[in-house]
Amino acid sequence: DISYGATRRFRTELTANSPANINLALLDATPPLGVYMYLGWILGELITSMSIDTHAVDAASFKRNIFNDKFYSVNDSVLGPFSGVCMDTRTQFCSCNNGARINSMIRYTEQLSLVAVPGSAFTLPYTSCDAEKLPLTSPLIAATLTPASSPEAARVTTDYLVGRSAAATTGDILIDGALVVETYTGNSTAALQALNTEKLMTASAGTVLNTPIGGSATTVTGLGVVIDPVELRPRLYGSFRRDVVYVSPTYDQELHALAHLAVSRHVGISVLSALEDGPEVGAMLTRSMNTFGREGGGHRSVSTIADGLSTQLGGTSDITILHGIATDADVTAIANYLARTSSGVVAIPMAHLDAWYREIVAAVTDTAHQSRIVFATSLPNWGGPESGGVVGSALQTYFSRVPATNRTPGSLRGFMTHQLLTYVTGRIPNQKTPTEFLRMLYGASVIVMDTGL
């Protein structure tokens, strides 16, 4: 840390007095070597500053003088106080051989380099020799898995990380207080499970999962608290799991909101499905319609969304939910369908909108056509202040830090999820375990993230 004068002088003297093969470039490239050389230099400075008669030095006088002088200065860094045995421990600082008052944490990267942990410094009071009574809390460690394959998964994760970085500090490790968020590469939840054996994670956030959540089909275990899991295809909600926290609406909730929209507009609604669970999704939509006292819902199975839309009449304002967008051809078919019909409305599940947002925006450029694309979300308007809607302080921060080209539902979800992690972390007093995280989250019941959110 070159903000300290002692560090700057160490680097200057190293350059002037070391052999040619020992230089600053070597130390910067090999942090462990630099740490130990710096420690040796500080010890040398400590010895040279002692009030010792160099003509009569033995072990006893050396030790006696260390504790007699008590404080030692190395530029702007102070070591001490050192103190021997005292007669009266009530009024004197006694029996202390620890001279470091300011402490901080460093971590090893995957390349075994040493990196300072921002915000980790703490100062021991001069009334206490060590950290024995100093309350230290563990960090809340949350990880996001970056898929190594699947272009759709990569797009979703990239957007999420853009928002997460905007909400936090910079660097490959993001720290807000005691919150540590890291990104790892892998292809399955097994990668996170293996990671948890090393990192003792509290949570995984924004991870693209390749297995369903909930019910007997899930294999997502050992991941701590799973926050807002992302799936590349819409999937009906399984059974309740306390350790899975949804920030975004579930697919069931999206269907219910879309059914309410159809009822309020007095139009029909159905599912166009290119996935195997189309009948179940259609049945769920029908149940939602029935709760509003209306008939409707159901589904039509097709091989691809593109094939289905090519034969969709679209002569009315009925809403068609597109369940199974999987290719660029499907996106092109959406644009062609909206251009071919004058009133047909398509509803895009958020799982598809996350994965294909930029492609859909690029394909559907006519504002009249855009107005016939609907979706159900709990997110505020991510387009920018000019797009309208209520703009609270958190959303203003998002707009100021994220350029317009990166404002997507995925990046805003990453931003808000990190805000949630930060909020919960600051309210867990001690060990940031999954159990404590869930106790605080469910105990709070309602967490206000921003105006109207």
Side-chain angles (χ1 to χ4, degrees), residues 342-425:
S342 59
S343 56
V345 177
V346 296
I348 300 179
M350 285 304 296
H352 291 326
L353 194 66
D354 280 342
W356 295 95
Y357 180 76
R358 285 185 173 84
E359 288 73 15
I360 293 171
V361 169
V364 185
T365 57
D366 188 293
T367 54
H369 300 167
Q370 292 171 355
S371 67
R372 290 188 281 127
I373 298 177
V374 297
F375 47 87
T377 181
S378 60
L379 294 171
N381 192 327
W382 54 81
E386 65 279 0
S387 300
V390 177
V391 179
S393 58
L395 202 55
Q396 288 175 355
T397 303
Y398 171 79
F399 291 147
S400 67
R401 294 181 181 178
V402 178
T405 53
N406 287 334
R407 292 174 191 164
T408 67
S411 68
L412 182 54
R413 189 181 67 250
F415 184 89
M416 290 301 183
T417 301
H418 190 86
Q419 297 274 72
L420 174 66
L421 285 171
T422 304
Y423 178 94
V424 174
T425 300

